[in-house]
Amino acid sequence: MKGYDLVIRNGTVVTASDTTICDIGIRDGRIVALGESLGAGKEEIEASGHYVLPGGVDAHCHFDQPSGPGIQMADDFETGTRSAACGGTTTVIPFAAQQKGDTLRATVEDYHRRADGNACVDYAFHLIVSDATPLVLKEELPSLIEEGYTSFKIYMTYDDLKLNDREILETLAVARQEGAMTMIHAENADCIAWLSDALEAAGQTAPRFHATSRPPVVEREATHRAISFAELVDTPVLIVHVSGQEPIEQIRWAQGRGLRIYAETCPQYLFLTADDLKLDGFEGAKCVCSPPPRDARSQEAVWEALENGVFQIFSSDHAPFRYEDAEGKKSAEGKSFKHIPNGIPGVETRLPLLFSEGVLKGRIDITKFVALTSTNPARIYGLYPRKGTLAVGSDADIVIWDPTLEWTITNDRLHHNVDYTPYSGMTLTGKPITTLLRGQVVWKENIFIGGPGGGCFLPCERPQPAMPKGVSKGF
Ligand code: DUC
Ligand code: ZN
Ligand code: ZN
């Protein structure tokens, strides 16, 4: 019997279904034993009094994504995944975004050039399909799905990305035929364009009018339409970055009818509101993302939907643009809200925010936390059980949490390449104190000790949508 490379002792080990105090034995980057009083390891970590959780899986983040002329994302694969590791995330699923006119194959090759050898945690890719040509639908998507790119995002808004209703149906039909998962950005493009033109004509161009131009009804209508299309084609869809009560009602209604509608929300819909876009001067641009943050009532609806199983996934939608930068948020200063790069950073704060404000404040239990942030995304995107759990045979992607540590978020404590965080000044309790990626420590005692090339590409299986017991009804 071979020994262990590492034993983590006496931690409170949590999966999506159980909490137990035990040891974890690791060999060759994998978990090989869970039990009491395991034999000695070459190295040991004492974890009593600490939670031991599967590494986070952030299933929605954007790194190094071309974002239009003169605009540059702040994080590439190195800085984005470094930040992920320091926040307890060991797997990310960013996007390989097709630009209209490009093939999907060229897009995927381009993103591999950006990521391979640079990522500090493991990564897979969702595709973004923005040009649903016959080549894409008939040849490229089927072969890429077969090769491990088993999920793709489509947009109902943004001129350079959106598909029309017919194209959405054609794309969903391919997902059904190939067994892929479709993620949908649900906002009605024409409603936004009409409202934006009216606001601009009235001189209402400040950042706060971004929220006015995309009210909840715009998201509700598109969510309902996406659900209808999924029903018509008879294929599952996952509605991403759901912002509040109105789309939640649509999703809950669909799930109650037995439709396979999955849903994701993000920290900005729990911790920000549209008032944050009203910050002095141009500062509101820091919180411009789409859909926009809503109001206190919607925040409550999002908490409730995390708790009652309407949402399966909690992702960051990390979309990093620097504020004081002519290629970032400030590229739009003096212009209309329409030109502000959409997105806020959050890959490192995602888990601590939900842990502190969700678990420790009694809104969700710790097993639900693991399900939402690790197990469910791994299952839904075909990475389970290699990722998303602590089980014999799984990768030893493990995060040790100190549930008592109090700390205040400031941008200089984060490891992204963005010059702000919208959560600055929030005092949280609980923090990842050690992160292991396939058995290697990459974050310990507030020091990042991983590096570029430490992360590897993960081809995905087809979605495994069976939900863990108690997490969701109606599937
Ligand atoms: N909205 C998106 O759809 N993607 C990136 C960021 C954002 O705000
Ligand atoms: Zn989106
Ligand atoms: Zn996004």
Side-chain angles (χ1 to χ4, degrees), residues 68-252:
I71 308 293
Q72 183 66 46
M73 275 199 171
D75 282 315
D76 57 18
F77 279 82
E78 180 179 343
T79 61
T81 56
R82 175 182 74 197
S83 187
C86 302
T89 289
T90 48
T91 298
V92 293
I93 318 184
F95 295 88
Q98 182 194 26
Q99 318 248 17
K100 282 200 202 303
D102 288 353
T103 64
L104 270 184
R105 178 64 64 186
T107 304
V108 167
E109 286 168 1
D110 177 32
Y111 277 84
H112 273 290
R113 276 192 294 274
R114 293 166 192 264
D116 297 351
N118 294 320
C120 308
V121 302
D122 288 354
Y123 59 99
F125 285 118
H126 307 293
L127 307 172
I128 287 177
V129 178
S130 66
D131 202 0
T133 60
L135 174 74
V136 165
L137 296 176
K138 290 198 173 72
E139 293 174 35
E140 292 199 304
L141 259 185
S143 55
L144 286 165
I145 291 165
E146 188 60 35
E147 289 167 38
Y149 307 87
T150 59
S151 50
F152 55 82
K153 182 176 177 189
I154 58 177
Y155 286 80
M156 300 171 89
T157 190
Y158 294 132
D159 288 344
D160 49 347
L161 294 170
K162 72 179 183 216
L163 302 185
N164 64 33
D165 289 354
R166 175 65 187 256
E167 291 166 332
I168 294 174
L169 290 168
E170 307 273 12
T171 311
L172 288 177
V174 177
R176 173 185 157 83
Q177 180 191 301
E178 304 298 330
M181 178 59 76
T182 308
M183 308 159 78
I184 302 193
H185 179 127
E187 289 184 295
N188 181 310
D190 285 324
C191 294
I192 294 167
W194 178 71
L195 286 167
S196 300
D197 287 350
L199 287 163
E200 282 185 340
Q204 298 185 314
T205 56
R208 81 175 98 134
F209 294 109
H210 172 78
T212 322
S213 74
R214 310 170 97 101
V217 60
V218 164
E219 188 182 351
R220 186 189 73 202
E221 185 281 331
T223 303
H224 182 85
R225 192 156 31 105
I227 289 166
S228 305
F229 294 170
E231 181 174 3
L232 186 63
V233 178
D234 185 22
T235 194
V237 301
L238 190 144
I239 312 289
V240 291
H241 46 50
V242 174
S243 73
Q245 176 150 346
E246 304 214 11
I248 288 171
E249 283 166 0
Q250 300 298 310
I251 293 161
R252 203 181 165 126

Side-chain angles (χ1 to χ4, degrees), residues 23 51 54 82 89 112 145 162 214 249 261 264 275 345 412 435 473-475:
D23 304 340
Y51 280 121
R82 175 182 74 197
T89 289
H112 273 290
I145 291 165
K162 72 179 183 216
R214 310 170 97 101
E249 283 166 0
I261 307 298
E264 168 205 82
D275 284 348
D412 60 4
T435 303
K473 294 199 181 86
F475 293 95

Side-chain angles (χ1 to χ4, degrees), residues 406-439:
E406 263 204 17
W407 62 292
T408 300
I409 302 179
T410 53
N411 198 52
D412 60 4
R413 296 188 74 153
L414 302 180
H415 299 78
H416 58 197
N417 195 30
V418 186
D419 56 355
Y420 75 96
T421 164
Y423 310 110
S424 190
M426 278 183 78
T427 295
L428 303 183
T429 308
K431 200 173 191 294
I433 52 167
T434 305
T435 303
L436 290 112
L437 174 68
R438 282 178 277 104

